[in-house]
Amino acid sequence: MARFEGNPILKPIKDHPWESKYVFNTAMISLGGRIHYFYRAMGEDNVSRLGYASSEDGCHIDVRHPYPVFEPSCPLEKYGCEDPRMTLIGDRYIMTYTAYGDIFQVGITSISSEDILEMNWAWGERRFPFPNTWNKNAVIFPRMIDGRYVMLHRHEPDICIAHSDNLCNWNHSGVVMRPRPGRWDCSKIGSAGPPIELEDGWLLVYHGVDEDRTYRLGVTILDKNDPGRVLGRADKPILEPWEEYERVGQVPNVVFSCGSVLLGGNLLISYGAADTVIGVASFGLGEILDLFV
Ligand code: BMA
């Protein structure tokens, strides 16, 4: 495992009122030979909006949009749109995020690949599939499984599963994984980015919170044809707050991921650090899979 030595890759920009204080949890996709980030930003008004940046290698950012690319648009989002995750289905990226109003709940929208490449922020309709339910950390699998779309979401404190025929209406259907008493993930858990398909299952990175509210990242493998079944769950976390930028900030001792990308034999994971800046870390896939044997 190696953190990028140039971390943090993204910091707040004082002169941009919407992202002057914190930039953190970020969707991460690989498209058109570049890595694209849609990151949560907070500024003067403490409302979360999404910013956009991109990079050839995921580490050195050379494009950054000066304005928010996604903002609250209705009372259900009055305090912000947080923690985006993106999954390619057909030629559209489906984005799940946390809509924060009187409660926080899952929001879903989408954007075409072409619009991302042209930096034309033409998002589709926004939907809120679990009305009046406190719910967040939703990730969608990149293909149908057994004829249905599949989502993992979080009814505190567990990772749960939901299914859909059309990506619009979702039926919650049970718990997939619970916190483990006495461990680093004892208090609550939630998916990081969308699951990644490997030969023998789905690799899911997730965050676990302990009694001291420290956020770490761990990994689990879900059954390829029945993703509600956990085949393996690594004992130890793969990333925990250690560097100063992960320990000190808006919320101390947090690494929180909303996406990763497989580049050759490496998994590049992006993460919000201390809810203040964004870092990346690279893991050999072999190194991760060894955690399950
Ligand atoms: C969670 C979310 C994340 C945040 C984390 C740590 O509940 O709000 O956006 O990174 O707490 O503060």
Side-chain angles (χ1 to χ4, degrees):
M1 188 278 279
R3 288 171 175 84
F4 172 53
E5 70 279 4
N7 272 354
I9 60 163
L10 283 166
K11 295 188 202 169
I13 297 181
K14 289 262 175 311
D15 292 342
H16 293 171
W18 61 278
E19 60 171 348
S20 58
K21 285 166 50 174
Y22 316 113
V23 299
F24 49 129
N25 308 336
T26 183
M28 180 185 194
I29 60 170
S30 170
L31 170 67
R34 292 180 65 84
I35 305 294
H36 305 256
Y37 291 111
F38 290 84
Y39 61 88
R40 177 174 170 192
M42 288 170 88
E44 310 307 319
D45 61 3
N46 288 323
V47 168
S48 294
R49 300 176 175 81
L50 304 187
Y52 168 84
S54 73
S55 158
E56 212 171 286
D57 62 0
C59 299
H60 301 86
I61 301 288
D62 53 8
V63 172
R64 188 162 174 180
H65 201 67
Y67 302 107
V69 301
F70 190 80
E71 299 191 73
S73 70
C74 64
L76 296 179
E77 304 172 336
K78 63 183 168 187
Y79 302 121
C81 302
E82 308 178 347
D83 304 351
R85 279 98 168 170
M86 290 172 107
T87 303
L88 181 64
I89 294 185
D91 71 344
R92 289 187 80 78
Y93 280 88
I94 312 298
M95 182 171 81
T96 49
Y97 60 99
T98 303
Y100 183 23
D102 290 332
I103 64 168
F104 58 75
Q105 63 181 305
V106 174
I108 304 187
T109 185
S110 68
I111 187 169
S112 72
S113 308
E114 202 183 319
D115 282 337
I116 294 178
L117 291 173
E118 290 173 3
M119 296 218 268
N120 173 33
W121 311 119
W123 301 94
E125 193 185 333
R126 301 182 191 196
R127 295 174 192 275
F128 304 94
F130 307 105
N132 305 316
T133 314
W134 293 80
N135 191 339
K136 53 163 75 171
N137 299 318
V139 297
I140 296 178
F141 287 70
R143 64 171 175 84
M144 284 180 146
I145 301 169
D146 205 12
R148 292 180 301 175
Y149 294 106
V150 185
M151 173 199 279
L152 299 175
H153 60 115
R154 209 282 296 284
H155 276 305
E156 207 166 316
D158 305 320
I159 294 180
C160 300
I161 193 162
H163 295 94
S164 171
D165 295 329
N166 53 16
L167 290 170
C168 299
N169 308 103
W170 290 87
N171 294 312
H172 163 71
S173 45
V175 174
V176 174
M177 224 164 76
R178 296 188 195 278
R180 292 180 291 196
R183 314 279 284 270
W184 61 273
D185 50 0
C186 63
S187 152
K188 53 184 177 176
I189 55 174
S191 301
I196 293 179
E197 187 162 16
L198 303 177
E199 216 169 305
D200 297 320
W202 296 96
L203 173 66
L204 177 73
V205 181
Y206 71 98
H207 66 256
V209 187
D210 71 10
E211 282 154 342
D212 298 327
R213 299 194 50 81
T214 295
Y215 281 68
R216 298 178 175 83
L217 298 179
V219 282
T220 180
I221 298 276
L222 305 176
D223 187 284
K224 195 127 166 167
N225 302 313
D226 179 9
R229 228 180 106 222
V230 177
L231 298 185
R233 183 166 172 184
D235 278 341
K236 294 200 176 119
I238 58 163
L239 188 72
E240 58 186 342
W242 174 259
E243 300 292 338
E244 189 173 347
Y245 58 85
E246 297 162 351
R247 286 185 289 109
V248 180
Q250 178 188 186
V251 181
N253 301 314
V254 175
V255 293
F256 190 100
S257 178
C258 290
S260 55
V261 161
L262 260 186
L263 292 173
N266 290 319
L267 186 69
L268 188 66
I269 301 189
S270 59
Y271 60 97
D275 286 3
T276 299
V277 295
I278 295 170
V280 289
S282 174
F283 300 78
L285 192 55
E287 174 192 12
I288 288 188
L289 295 178
D290 281 350
L291 296 171
F292 298 103
V293 290

